[in-house]
Amino acid sequence: MTVYTLSNPHLRMRVSAQGACLLGLEDDKGCPLLRDTDLAQHWHPGQSALFPMLPLANRVAGNRFELWGEEHRLPESPVDPDFFLHGDGWLQSWQWVAGSTSSVTLQLTSQCGPFHYLAEIDYRLHGASLVARISLTHLGESPCLYGAGFHPFFWRDEQTRIRFLASGVWQEGADHLPIDWSSRLAPHHDFRQWQRPQGWLNHCYGGWRGQAELDHPARQQRLLVSSECAFLMLYQPDEGSGFVCLEPQSHAANAHHLAGHPGLRLLQRGDTMSIAMTITLMSEPTTLVSHS
């Protein structure tokens, strides 16, 4: 497995060509900002510090969707018996396109089910920020619905707090699929004010304002996650997991079955969509504002 080590005076990270995954992101003192990956142990992309989600994020009910009256069955996944979980990009081997001491660009061509695409992912360190971008170009003859997202595993301890603004949430239901939309946030789902994430969480927030913060009081450290995406998945298996996931994604979970396909992009042959995410190690606290 090819691993690229990138650094600047503020940050250091490792990128794997397998899955275009991050294996770690550290500050200049060596403190992990994302969970670390031990390559001495048996490793899977799902155990990485961050992986890309494409050509869709999350799950699609029934592992199929309909477009213009035609049913499209999604491929089987080697990691989930029921769903094309997070697509196939995170499970494929990517090719190097360009790079420097602080950046790398990887590329993938894939044909799976109704999807036939060229993907490019760019990771670069810019000051105290990691800037990541995914681009997807549809290569198939027939138009298809596309989406993408980032799945970072942020380091956390028992004091870690998060906050972000969103207009509502689809809570998790059976088979990890979302249930009805609600703009009323239960106290343990409401992160408009600082709150420690508690217990099992796996919910999709809509109307996200494009920024989320993580505060680590024991470290006197704060991170800002920003993106143009309007949807944010919050995932935490339990409080002792050592991580919490704040996942910017272009579309709602199960958007293939929601009215209007919220956030999905219908691409014709040659059309391209892209999303970006920035993780910044902040020097001072900030006020959450709308992403522009």
Side-chain angles (χ1 to χ4, degrees):
M1 179 175 61
T2 303
V3 176
Y4 305 96
T5 299
L6 313 176
S7 64
N8 71 6
H10 306 276
L11 299 170
R12 178 180 180 272
M13 69 177 179
R14 293 175 296 146
V15 182
S16 169
Q18 181 61 38
C21 301
L22 289 193
L23 303 180
L25 176 66
E26 305 169 349
D27 66 13
D28 59 346
K29 300 179 181 63
C31 293
L33 308 182
L34 303 175
R35 72 174 179 182
D36 202 46
T37 304
D38 183 5
L39 293 181
Q41 306 296 322
H42 178 71
W43 175 80
H44 182 273
Q47 300 166 315
S48 63
L50 179 155
F51 62 79
M53 300 183 286
L54 58 120
L56 57 83
N58 213 268
R59 298 165 175 85
V60 178
N63 212 38
R64 60 179 67 113
F65 68 92
E66 187 177 286
L67 181 62
W68 299 324
E70 181 181 355
E71 182 180 86
H72 297 278
R73 292 180 177 270
L74 297 178
E76 295 183 0
S77 171
V79 297
D80 191 300
D82 301 314
F83 300 101
F84 185 49
L85 182 64
H86 304 316
D88 70 326
W90 64 301
L91 303 174
Q92 301 282 355
S93 179
W94 294 58
Q95 302 299 313
W96 183 91
V97 173
S100 69
T101 58
S102 60
S103 68
V104 67
T105 303
L106 303 173
Q107 197 172 83
L108 168 71
T109 301
S110 179
Q111 188 167 9
C112 53
F115 305 104
H116 185 195
Y117 65 88
L118 170 67
E120 191 167 279
I121 190 163
D122 183 81
Y123 294 113
R124 59 187 59 241
L125 299 177
H126 182 73
S129 297
L130 161 62
V131 182
R133 178 174 293 277
I134 295 171
S135 296
L136 282 168
T137 301
H138 181 50
L139 303 178
E141 293 294 337
S142 300
C144 193
L145 292 169
Y146 279 85
F150 295 97
H151 199 309
F153 295 80
F154 290 96
W155 180 92
R156 64 150 291 177
D157 63 11
E158 65 280 358
Q159 296 183 47
T160 296
R161 308 179 300 166
I162 62 176
R163 68 173 178 176
F164 58 85
L165 300 177
S167 61
V169 66
W170 288 274
Q171 294 184 43
E172 181 187 45
D175 296 326
H176 306 298
L177 292 166
I179 56 176
D180 292 342
W181 166 264
S182 176
S183 59
R184 294 190 176 185
L185 301 176
H188 62 294
H189 295 149
D190 187 352
F191 293 93
R192 289 176 292 175
Q193 305 298 326
W194 286 115
Q195 183 175 180
R196 296 173 185 170
Q198 300 177 26
W200 173 274
L201 298 168
N202 193 25
H203 309 304
C204 180
Y205 288 83
W208 179 44
R209 295 293 295 277
Q211 293 184 333
E213 288 183 283
L214 297 95
D215 183 51
H216 303 303
R219 291 182 171 184
Q220 296 184 325
Q221 181 187 84
R222 191 170 293 182
L223 297 177
L224 174 66
V225 184
S226 57
S227 174
E228 76 277 19
C229 293
F231 303 90
L232 183 74
M233 283 294 301
L234 171 61
Y235 170 62
Q236 175 181 267
D238 60 69
E239 295 169 53
S241 63
F243 67 81
V244 61
C245 298
L246 294 164
E247 310 164 34
Q249 53 188 57
S250 64
H251 60 91
N254 198 35
H256 297 75
H257 288 274
L258 298 179
H261 300 140
L264 290 171
R265 291 284 305 278
L266 182 64
L267 300 185
Q268 297 189 77
R269 182 180 178 89
D271 286 348
T272 297
M273 66 162 287
S274 66
I275 65 168
M277 176 190 68
T278 301
I279 299 173
T280 301
L281 179 59
M282 297 162 56
S283 57
E284 297 179 359
T286 190
T287 301
L288 290 179
V289 296
S290 174
H291 182 88
S292 58

